[in-house]
Amino acid sequence: MSYIDGFVLAVPQATRETYRQVAQKAAAVFKEHGALKVVECWGDDVPEGKVTSFTMAVQRKEDEAVVFSWILWPSREKRDTGMKAAMADPRLKEGMDPMPFDGQRMIFGGFEVIVDE
């Protein structure tokens, strides 16, 4: 069964294009190491919550947007191998100095797909 790595982060509006370029290059690296698909989404309708929300989760500042992204892998095993290889790939670090977002506020996790319609 497929496996997903999911991410939610806050990115300054001013670095949108830099972030897009870095994400596009990173997508190629992840795909080379076994990912089936990489999706990056720039939030344009992300409501503020009263109890919880994407914006609260990443402590979004006024000049930032919420980015929601995921990587689709064929399986957990392929993800474990591919992610390890991608993280060791020096191309993944290109354009990340300085990082175009605050990595400390990024939320991420791995998810087993249970419905895929």
Side-chain angles (χ1 to χ4, degrees):
M1 181 65 78
S2 301
Y3 198 78
I4 303 284
D5 276 318
F7 309 87
V8 181
L9 56 151
V11 178
Q13 297 278 358
T15 65
R16 178 180 171 147
E17 181 56 22
T18 301
Y19 178 83
R20 189 196 65 73
Q21 290 174 8
V22 168
Q24 191 166 13
K25 290 176 186 175
V29 173
F30 285 118
K31 288 181 83 174
E32 186 176 308
H33 292 292
L36 300 174
K37 187 172 192 168
V38 178
V39 178
E40 297 280 346
C41 306
W42 193 266
D44 71 350
D45 184 17
V46 184
E48 296 290 336
K50 293 187 191 278
V51 177
T52 188
S53 66
F54 282 119
T55 58
M56 292 167 70
V58 297
Q59 301 173 3
R60 185 187 62 84
K61 298 175 185 170
E62 285 295 318
D63 66 336
E64 295 176 327
V66 173
V67 170
F68 176 63
S69 60
W70 66 93
I71 303 171
L72 173 64
W73 301 92
S75 67
R76 168 75 190 263
E77 295 74 26
K78 295 281 187 182
R79 176 270 203 157
D80 289 348
T81 303
M83 184 61 81
K84 183 177 180 180
M87 290 305 186
D89 192 313
R91 295 174 297 165
L92 202 58
K93 293 172 181 52
E94 291 174 9
M96 297 292 268
D97 188 24
M99 287 179 60
F101 62 93
D102 180 356
Q104 292 182 337
R105 293 185 285 139
M106 179 173 65
I107 299 168
F108 58 92
F111 299 85
E112 177 184 353
V113 176
I114 59 171
V115 174
D116 184 3
E117 291 295 325

